[in-house]
Amino acid sequence: MKLIRLLRDNWGIVLFISLLSYGVYSQGSTQSIFLCLALFLMAVLKEENVAVCFIVQTFMCDNLELLPSLSFASLAAGVLIVRCVMTGNKGNIGSKNIPFILLLLVIQVFSIVIYENTLNNVIRFSVNIFIIFYFANYSRIFQTKNLALIPSVVSITVLIACILGVGKASIMDDLGVLRFSGIWIDDNFCGMYCILGIVSSIYAIWVTRKALFFAIPSILMALYMGALAMSRTFVYMMALVFLFFLLSIFRNKSVGVFFKIVLSALCIVGAVYFFNHIASTIIENRGMVKDSGDFTNGRIEASLESLRVFNMNPLSWFTGIGTSNTFNCKMALGMHPKASHNTYVDILVELGLPVIIYVLILIISFFQKFFKSFLYTLPYTALFSFVVLCYMGTLTMGQYSILYIAFGMILNYLKIPINENTSEKYR
């Protein structure tokens, strides 16, 4: 009984990270054994820790299959849903959301018949919809007593992921530049996870000085992996992080003048180092734009092709062509089967006008509250979602868990009045 109680508190998360890390590091049957142990552990932890473990696996397993065509992330999502939604008996997805979920699923089934979408895509999307509404309606892991838990766990996870990823998965791009993606699916995703690790580490340090022990190494490793990824988006996002951090320091009424000066000096020194040593190397090797003058490195062209698919199917304006089905539709129409590199375009093309309008209203509401909250202290969930929303304009996130976690966090964040964010303020 003592062992079970021990595993059900935060030490269970530590053990999960250990099992998952060794599973990612190892190969063959050993990998399968440790990943299965990690899934079993998720199934017995208390509910809020299952949710935290699900966030952990998002940062380590976006490109990991336990079995052919069966990703670890999908299995982890199944554990989350069965453990926390189906058997939780707490209505964590909210009964008012059931009709909306059912309507989305009916439309997706319709896409199988009309646009030859695959059943696998629809099943994965169904699971991910549950993830959105679970995180939207479940707030225990965001309460004051757990204020430092999620950013600290993300910081440690990114640190481990960067260590495991050093020297792995490198590829030569069209400019002849060697780029690393670590354990992640590609170099741009590597940059996004590194940015989230840096933001999480800074937040964890702000909340508790004990986080310095792991957060500083995590920031350094994330910067190192981000540099190896040679991602220009990583440079732009780091510039945004520096600017955002400075603005939040000066506008936060709870920060003293002396502390503002010290933090600003550290931020400026860090920015100078970053742009002199990391950003300059990336820009020198890859340039600011392609030789053709395309600032987006071909992303606009890829997105326009997706929009052409949308325009050729008037019915899809209302129903979409089906989640994750853009690639297949392009190939069927004789187009270059390339990802849109823009999740907003994908939502429009794959889910239709009604869904993209709802999503855009949600995002506008989020940004309005986000920037109004500068006079207060932004919760971690808002910072996490802000980074993901920025990267949605440059990446096709499709069925990756991080997209659905972020939208769940956005819905959760919008429920909290600005002047009542005391449960999520920095301490």
Side-chain angles (χ1 to χ4, degrees), residues 267-343:
C267 186
I268 292 170
V269 170
V272 170
Y273 174 83
F274 176 79
F275 288 106
N276 281 345
H277 293 82
I278 297 176
S280 61
T281 301
I282 294 172
I283 293 172
E284 181 181 348
N285 280 277
R286 303 193 67 222
M288 290 295 291
V289 295
K290 291 183 71 175
D291 293 337
S292 62
D294 183 3
F295 185 78
T296 64
N297 199 37
R299 286 179 170 85
I300 290 179
E301 181 183 350
S303 294
L304 288 175
E305 276 207 337
S306 297
L307 291 174
R308 280 195 285 273
V309 174
F310 181 71
N311 190 51
M312 292 168 65
N313 296 277
L315 182 61
S316 72
W317 299 356
F318 305 98
T319 64
I321 61 173
T323 182
S324 301
N325 200 32
T326 302
F327 185 93
N328 294 332
C329 280
K330 283 184 177 181
M331 190 161 53
L333 293 170
M335 298 180 181
H336 182 53
K338 186 178 181 181
S340 304
H341 287 291
N342 190 312
T343 302

Side-chain angles (χ1 to χ4, degrees), residues 6 13 33 46 54 67 77 160 211 228 237 258 293 300 359 384 406:
L6 182 66
I13 299 175
I33 290 170
K46 59 183 180 180
F54 183 75
L67 294 170
I160 295 171
L228 290 178
M237 284 301 300
F258 176 75
I300 290 179
V359 168
F384 183 101

Side-chain angles (χ1 to χ4, degrees), residues 42 46-56 80 84 134-135 138 141 150 405:
M42 272 188 73
K46 59 183 180 180
E47 186 173 346
E48 56 266 36
N49 286 353
V50 175
V52 175
C53 288
F54 183 75
I55 294 174
V56 168
L80 175 74
C84 302
Y134 173 75
F135 280 98
Y138 184 65
I141 60 174
I150 298 179
I405 291 172

Side-chain angles (χ1 to χ4, degrees), residues 178-200:
L178 189 65
R179 304 180 64 184
F180 285 79
S181 57
I183 65 172
W184 294 297
I185 191 167
D186 68 21
D187 33 67
N188 290 306
F189 270 84
C190 174
M192 179 181 67
Y193 287 121
C194 288
I195 290 287
L196 285 168
I198 291 168
V199 170
S200 301

Side-chain angles (χ1 to χ4, degrees), residues 16-17 20 24 42 50-64 72-74 76-77 80 128 131 135 153-154 157-158 161 183-185 189-190 192-194 196 384 388 397 399-406 409:
F16 177 82
I17 294 174
L20 192 60
V24 172
M42 272 188 73
V50 175
V52 175
C53 288
F54 183 75
I55 294 174
V56 168
Q57 68 82 30
T58 299
F59 282 82
M60 298 189 75
C61 301
D62 71 343
N63 196 29
L64 185 64
F72 182 89
S74 297
L80 175 74
N128 287 325
I131 290 171
F135 280 98
V153 166
V154 171
T157 303
V158 170
I183 65 172
W184 294 297
I185 191 167
F189 270 84
C190 174
M192 179 181 67
Y193 287 121
C194 288
L196 285 168
F384 183 101
V388 174
M397 295 190 188
Q399 303 279 20
Y400 295 104
S401 302
I402 194 165
L403 175 67
Y404 301 91
I405 291 172
M409 287 182 172

Side-chain angles (χ1 to χ4, degrees), residues 55-244:
I55 294 174
V56 168
Q57 68 82 30
T58 299
F59 282 82
M60 298 189 75
C61 301
D62 71 343
N63 196 29
L64 185 64
E65 290 189 343
L66 186 58
L67 294 170
S69 300
L70 186 61
S71 68
F72 182 89
S74 297
L75 291 171
V79 172
L80 175 74
I81 291 169
V82 172
R83 175 70 178 80
C84 302
V85 178
M86 301 301 183
T87 61
N89 297 321
K90 297 177 182 178
N92 285 323
I93 63 170
S95 57
K96 64 180 181 180
N97 296 315
I98 296 296
F100 180 69
I101 293 174
L102 291 175
L103 176 61
L104 279 177
L105 299 186
V106 168
I107 292 173
Q108 289 307 303
V109 172
F110 178 76
S111 75
I112 296 176
V113 178
I114 302 299
Y115 299 108
E116 298 183 355
N117 197 9
T118 66
L119 180 61
N120 185 47
N121 283 340
V122 174
I123 292 173
R124 290 171 65 195
F125 180 71
S126 304
V127 170
N128 287 325
I129 290 298
F130 277 101
I131 290 171
I132 288 180
F133 288 106
Y134 173 75
F135 280 98
N137 291 281
Y138 184 65
S139 60
R140 188 180 302 174
I141 60 174
F142 308 134
Q143 290 176 353
T144 303
K145 66 178 181 179
N146 291 319
L147 187 62
L149 177 61
I150 298 179
S152 297
V153 166
V154 171
S155 176
I156 293 169
T157 303
V158 170
L159 171 61
I160 295 171
C162 287
I163 292 172
L164 293 175
V166 172
K168 284 189 175 183
S170 60
I171 188 171
M172 198 78 71
D173 74 355
D174 55 356
L175 297 175
V177 178
L178 189 65
R179 304 180 64 184
F180 285 79
S181 57
I183 65 172
W184 294 297
I185 191 167
D186 68 21
D187 33 67
N188 290 306
F189 270 84
C190 174
M192 179 181 67
Y193 287 121
C194 288
I195 290 287
L196 285 168
I198 291 168
V199 170
S200 301
S201 298
I202 293 172
Y203 192 102
I205 292 171
W206 191 282
V207 173
T208 171
R209 302 303 177 265
K210 295 177 182 178
L212 286 166
F213 176 73
F214 55 82
I216 295 299
S218 182
I219 291 172
L220 294 175
M221 282 301 302
L223 286 172
Y224 178 65
M225 279 303 301
L228 290 178
M230 288 286 173
S231 170
R232 285 171 293 196
T233 309
F234 176 74
V235 174
Y236 306 145
M237 284 301 300
M238 280 301 300
L240 192 60
V241 167
F242 283 123
L243 178 62
F244 174 80

Side-chain angles (χ1 to χ4, degrees), residues 363-374 376 378-379 382 410-421:
I363 291 172
I364 291 169
S365 301
F366 169 80
F367 277 115
Q368 285 178 336
K369 182 175 180 180
F370 184 84
F371 289 110
K372 284 180 181 178
S373 299
F374 265 112
Y376 302 89
L378 286 164
I410 288 170
L411 288 167
N412 185 276
Y413 170 65
L414 290 175
K415 295 176 183 178
I416 309 170
I418 293 176
N419 59 353
E420 293 182 13
N421 277 348

